[in-house]
Every structure is written in C-alpha cells, then in structure tokens.
Amino acid sequence: MAFDYKKEYKEFYLPPKKPCIVDVPAMNYIAVRGSGNPNDPDGEYKATIGLLYGIAFTIKMSYKGSHKIEGYFSYVVPPLEGLWWQEGSGNIDYAHKENFQWISMIRLPEFVTKEEFDWAVREATQKKQSDFSKVEFFPYHEGLCVHCMHIGSYDEEPATIGLMDEYLSANGYSADFSETRFHHEIYLSDPRRTAPSKLRTVIRHPIKPAMTHPPISS
C-alpha cells in the first residue's frame, strides 16, 4: 500500500478543530514563489499549481522509467500547501488579496535529494515542453507553531485565527511572524469538488513564548 503522509503523520496534517501546539521538524518541498490574488483565473497562482504537480508526479512516476531513485517507495503525493504574507503587515488582510505574497509548495518524500529534484525538473521540461524554471527545492524548518483544522471557506478563516490567538494568549505564547516564518495553510480538500462550507484547511502560525515582565516596584 502506498505511504500516505496525511495518515502516517496525523499530528502535522490532521489537527483537531481546536487550536493546539505542534513542533514541526525540517522538511523538503518543491515550491514556487509568487504574488497576487490566488482567485484571479488568469493570475500567477493558478499557473503555479500546474508547475508544482508537474514536478510532483514526475518524481512519483519515476519508477516506471529508466531513471531509478535510490530509496524510492510508493507514496501518495502530499497535499498542496501555502505560505502567505503581505508586505508591511503582520496580519492577513483578506479584503486585499491582490497584495498577497506567497510560496506555494508540496512536500517531498525523504528520498528526494536536490540532485533528484534537478533531474525531475529536466525530465518534466523535456517531456511536457514547459518551463519549470520557477520551481525550486525548498528546505523549510517551521519549528514551534499553533495550528487548527478550519472547516469552511477561505474567507471565513479570520474566525479560526481569532480562536488561535485566544489560545496563545491563554497559554503564554504569542505569534512569531518574520521574514522566514509565515501564515501557513495546508489544503486537504479540492475546492473544485468541495462545497465552500465543507473545505478542510489546516491553518498554522509560528509562535514563541510570550514576553513576561517583572512586577513594577513601588
């Protein structure tokens, strides 16, 4: 049976509907960076998805060709993920999606090295006659985070994020966004086939222990 990361690593892909803390180890991804409204039918984001899956399935189906990847095992391609931010703001403004900056990505199995990734880009470029130069090998160590399963449309995410912020405040943590730590989403549902009210999305935020101050002396 094919190895399924969602089932084998439920602590990372299937959190409860209530916020909880998780320490996410280093993982390697295929990724594409871009900007703009992801809902734009002619936008950069839509094209990005095709690039990611082109490389993902080139690697997954490599066992059928002459190129053999050392350590290869049968697996289910992990879900699409995204890191999101807006320049000059620590918060996501859902009313101005045109200002989004993003890194769209798919997790790589552990046997995929940078060299094997480079082979997959060459192979996909040749076979599909498409330009995959935007796709990169992306190591990412997320570290300590809070995450939660969001059920519903993407525009309703602020309510879930509010619950996460309340949880952090009650448990001695605060959000820790930076140039390397972002609002993170993992898409467990296909929006083309799932009603918006039933979409399942993991929302994850980087965190740190909240600052504590000694009592002020009189």
Side-chain angles (χ1 to χ4, degrees):
M1 182 176 293
F3 187 91
D4 189 334
Y5 282 87
K6 297 190 303 298
K7 294 179 180 179
E8 299 297 332
Y9 295 102
K10 293 180 180 179
E11 65 270 33
F12 303 134
Y13 296 99
L14 297 172
K17 297 177 185 177
K18 294 182 179 180
C20 61
I21 292 174
V22 62
D23 194 356
V24 186
M27 302 178 189
N28 293 328
Y29 296 84
I30 48 175
V32 177
R33 300 169 188 262
S35 61
N37 188 337
N39 297 323
D40 185 347
D42 299 317
E44 191 176 3
Y45 185 80
K46 299 292 185 183
T48 290
I49 305 306
L51 294 176
L52 289 176
Y53 279 106
I55 300 300
F57 278 96
T58 295
I59 295 170
K60 175 179 171 61
M61 304 307 293
S62 62
Y63 72 95
K64 291 190 173 183
S66 59
H67 183 86
K68 304 302 180 184
I69 300 178
E70 183 177 355
Y72 180 94
F73 54 81
S74 178
Y75 67 100
V76 177
V77 172
L80 179 69
E81 307 185 34
L83 305 176
W84 300 85
W85 70 98
Q86 292 170 330
E87 296 295 344
S89 173
N91 299 312
I92 297 294
D93 183 355
Y94 288 79
H96 292 282
K97 296 177 182 177
E98 71 277 6
N99 296 329
F100 272 135
Q101 305 286 321
W102 40 262
I103 302 175
S104 190
M105 57 195 197
I106 297 175
R107 181 179 180 172
L108 286 169
E110 291 76 8
F111 58 77
V112 181
T113 62
K114 176 62 164 59
E115 290 71 26
E116 296 295 357
F117 164 82
D118 290 340
W119 166 82
V121 171
R122 295 193 300 269
E123 181 77 0
T125 300
Q126 179 181 359
K127 285 193 171 184
K128 300 179 182 296
Q129 294 296 298
S130 297
D131 182 7
F132 288 89
S133 60
K134 289 185 177 181
V135 187
E136 64 181 275
F137 184 82
F138 182 60
Y140 190 54
H141 186 184
E142 202 160 15
L144 195 64
C145 296
V146 61
H147 67 177
C148 184
M149 182 69 74
H150 171 73
I151 308 294
S153 73
Y154 305 129
D155 288 338
E156 294 173 344
E157 289 182 3
T160 298
I161 292 172
L163 293 176
M164 293 165 60
D165 289 341
E166 291 175 6
Y167 175 85
L168 292 180
S169 179
N171 288 276
Y173 292 91
S174 62
D176 187 30
F177 297 109
S178 70
E179 294 182 354
T180 58
R181 308 190 79 198
F182 310 99
H183 172 95
H184 186 175
E185 299 183 0
I186 304 175
Y187 308 104
L188 302 180
S189 305
D190 185 340
R192 299 170 300 177
R193 299 180 175 88
T194 308
S197 63
K198 296 182 179 179
L199 290 171
R200 295 192 307 154
T201 307
V202 178
I203 301 177
R204 185 180 293 160
H205 282 176
I207 64 173
K208 63 182 177 181
M211 294 292 291
T212 57
H213 302 279
I216 299 175
S217 58
S218 56

Coordinates of all heavy atoms in Angstrom, one line a residue, residues 34-40 44 83-89 91-103:
G34 N 5.5 33.6 -5.6 CA 4.7 34.5 -6.4 C 3.9 35.5 -5.6 O 4.1 35.7 -4.4
S35 N 3.1 36.3 -6.3 CA 2.3 37.3 -5.7 C 1.0 37.5 -6.4 O 0.8 37.0 -7.5 CB 3.1 38.6 -5.7 OG 3.4 39.1 -7.0
G36 N 0.0 38.1 -5.7 CA -1.2 38.4 -6.3 C -2.4 37.6 -5.8 O -2.2 36.7 -4.9
N37 N -3.6 37.9 -6.3 CA -4.8 37.3 -5.8 C -4.9 35.8 -6.3 O -4.8 35.6 -7.5 CB -6.0 38.1 -6.4 CG -7.3 37.6 -5.8 OD1 -7.5 36.5 -5.3 ND2 -8.3 38.5 -5.8
P38 N -5.0 34.9 -5.4 CA -5.0 33.5 -5.9 C -6.3 33.1 -6.6 O -6.3 32.1 -7.3 CB -4.9 32.7 -4.6 CG -5.4 33.6 -3.5 CD -5.0 35.0 -3.9
N39 N -7.3 33.9 -6.5 CA -8.6 33.7 -7.1 C -8.6 34.2 -8.6 O -9.6 34.0 -9.3 CB -9.7 34.3 -6.3 CG -9.9 33.6 -5.0 OD1 -9.6 32.5 -4.8 ND2 -10.2 34.4 -4.0
D40 N -7.6 34.9 -9.0 CA -7.6 35.5 -10.3 C -7.5 34.4 -11.3 O -6.5 33.6 -11.3 CB -6.4 36.5 -10.5 CG -6.4 37.2 -11.8 OD1 -7.1 36.7 -12.7 OD2 -5.6 38.1 -12.0
E44 N -1.0 34.5 -11.5 CA 0.2 33.7 -11.4 C 0.0 32.4 -10.5 O 0.6 31.4 -10.8 CB 1.2 34.6 -10.7 CG 2.6 34.0 -10.7 CD 3.6 35.0 -10.1 OE1 3.2 36.1 -9.6 OE2 4.8 34.7 -10.1
L83 N 2.5 29.2 2.0 CA 2.9 30.2 3.0 C 2.5 31.6 2.4 O 2.7 31.9 1.3 CB 4.4 30.2 3.2 CG 5.1 28.8 3.5 CD1 6.6 28.9 3.6 CD2 4.5 28.4 4.9
W84 N 1.8 32.4 3.3 CA 1.2 33.6 2.8 C 1.6 34.8 3.7 O 1.7 34.7 4.9 CB -0.3 33.5 2.9 CG -0.9 32.4 2.0 CD1 -1.0 31.1 2.4 CD2 -1.4 32.5 0.7 NE1 -1.5 30.4 1.3 CE2 -1.8 31.2 0.3 CE3 -1.5 33.6 -0.2 CZ2 -2.3 31.0 -1.0 CZ3 -2.0 33.3 -1.5 CH2 -2.4 32.0 -1.8
W85 N 1.8 35.9 3.1 CA 2.1 37.2 3.9 C 1.8 38.4 3.0 O 1.6 38.2 1.8 CB 3.5 37.2 4.4 CG 4.6 37.4 3.3 CD1 5.2 38.6 3.0 CD2 5.2 36.4 2.5 NE1 6.2 38.3 2.0 CE2 6.2 37.0 1.7 CE3 5.0 35.0 2.4 CZ2 6.9 36.3 0.8 CZ3 5.8 34.3 1.4 CH2 6.7 35.0 0.7
Q86 N 1.7 39.5 3.6 CA 1.5 40.8 2.9 C 2.6 41.8 3.4 O 2.8 41.9 4.6 CB 0.1 41.3 3.1 CG -0.9 40.5 2.4 CD -2.4 40.8 2.8 OE1 -2.6 41.3 3.9 NE2 -3.3 40.6 1.9
E87 N 3.3 42.4 2.5 CA 4.4 43.3 2.9 C 4.0 44.4 3.8 O 2.9 45.0 3.6 CB 5.0 43.9 1.6 CG 5.7 42.9 0.7 CD 6.9 42.1 1.3 OE1 7.4 42.6 2.3 OE2 7.3 41.1 0.7
G88 N 4.8 44.6 4.8 CA 4.5 45.7 5.8 C 3.4 45.4 6.7 O 2.9 46.3 7.4
S89 N 2.9 44.2 6.8 CA 1.8 43.9 7.7 C 2.0 42.5 8.4 O 2.4 41.5 7.7 CB 0.4 43.8 6.9 OG -0.6 43.4 7.8
N91 N -0.4 41.0 9.8 CA -1.7 40.3 9.7 C -2.1 40.1 8.2 O -1.6 40.8 7.3 CB -2.8 41.1 10.4 CG -2.5 41.3 11.9 OD1 -2.2 40.3 12.6 ND2 -2.7 42.5 12.4
I92 N -3.0 39.2 8.0 CA -3.5 38.9 6.6 C -4.8 39.7 6.4 O -5.7 39.6 7.2 CB -3.8 37.4 6.4 CG1 -2.5 36.6 6.5 CG2 -4.5 37.2 5.1 CD1 -1.5 36.9 5.4
D93 N -4.8 40.6 5.4 CA -6.0 41.4 5.1 C -6.7 40.7 4.0 O -6.3 40.8 2.8 CB -5.6 42.8 4.7 CG -6.8 43.7 4.5 OD1 -7.9 43.2 4.5 OD2 -6.6 44.9 4.2
Y94 N -7.8 40.0 4.3 CA -8.5 39.2 3.3 C -9.3 40.1 2.3 O -9.7 39.6 1.3 CB -9.4 38.2 4.0 CG -8.7 37.1 4.7 CD1 -8.1 37.2 5.9 CD2 -8.6 35.8 4.1 CE1 -7.4 36.2 6.5 CE2 -8.0 34.8 4.7 CZ -7.4 35.0 5.9 OH -6.7 33.9 6.5
A95 N -9.4 41.4 2.7 CA -10.1 42.3 1.8 C -9.2 42.8 0.6 O -9.7 43.4 -0.3 CB -10.6 43.5 2.5
H96 N -7.9 42.5 0.7 CA -6.9 43.0 -0.3 C -6.0 41.8 -0.7 O -4.8 41.8 -0.4 CB -6.1 44.1 0.3 CG -7.0 45.4 0.4 ND1 -7.3 46.2 -0.6 CD2 -7.5 45.9 1.6 CE1 -8.0 47.2 -0.1 NE2 -8.2 47.1 1.2
K97 N -6.6 40.8 -1.3 CA -5.9 39.6 -1.7 C -4.9 39.9 -2.8 O -4.0 39.2 -3.1 CB -6.9 38.6 -2.2 CG -7.8 38.1 -1.1 CD -8.8 37.1 -1.6 CE -9.7 36.6 -0.4 NZ -10.8 35.7 -0.9
E98 N -5.1 41.1 -3.5 CA -4.1 41.4 -4.6 C -2.7 41.7 -4.0 O -1.7 41.7 -4.7 CB -4.6 42.7 -5.3 CG -4.6 44.0 -4.6 CD -5.8 44.2 -3.7 OE1 -6.7 43.3 -3.6 OE2 -6.0 45.3 -3.1
N99 N -2.7 41.9 -2.7 CA -1.4 42.2 -2.0 C -0.7 41.0 -1.5 O 0.4 41.1 -0.8 CB -1.6 43.2 -0.9 CG -2.1 44.6 -1.3 OD1 -1.8 45.0 -2.4 ND2 -2.9 45.3 -0.5
F100 N -1.2 39.8 -1.7 CA -0.6 38.6 -1.2 C 0.7 38.4 -1.8 O 0.9 38.5 -3.0 CB -1.5 37.4 -1.5 CG -2.6 37.1 -0.5 CD1 -3.9 36.8 -0.8 CD2 -2.2 37.1 0.9 CE1 -4.8 36.5 0.1 CE2 -3.2 36.8 1.8 CZ -4.5 36.5 1.5
Q101 N 1.7 37.9 -1.0 CA 2.9 37.3 -1.4 C 2.8 35.8 -0.9 O 2.3 35.6 0.2 CB 4.1 38.0 -0.7 CG 4.2 39.4 -1.0 CD 4.7 39.8 -2.4 OE1 5.5 39.1 -2.9 NE2 4.1 40.8 -3.0
W102 N 3.3 34.9 -1.7 CA 3.1 33.5 -1.3 C 4.2 32.6 -1.8 O 4.9 32.9 -2.8 CB 1.7 33.0 -1.8 CG 1.3 33.4 -3.2 CD1 0.5 34.4 -3.5 CD2 1.7 32.8 -4.4 NE1 0.3 34.5 -4.8 CE2 1.1 33.6 -5.4 CE3 2.6 31.8 -4.8 CZ2 1.2 33.3 -6.8 CZ3 2.8 31.5 -6.1 CH2 2.1 32.2 -7.1
I103 N 4.3 31.5 -1.1 CA 5.2 30.4 -1.6 C 4.3 29.2 -1.6 O 3.8 28.7 -0.5 CB 6.4 30.1 -0.6 CG1 7.2 31.4 -0.5 CG2 7.2 28.9 -1.1 CD1 8.4 31.2 0.5

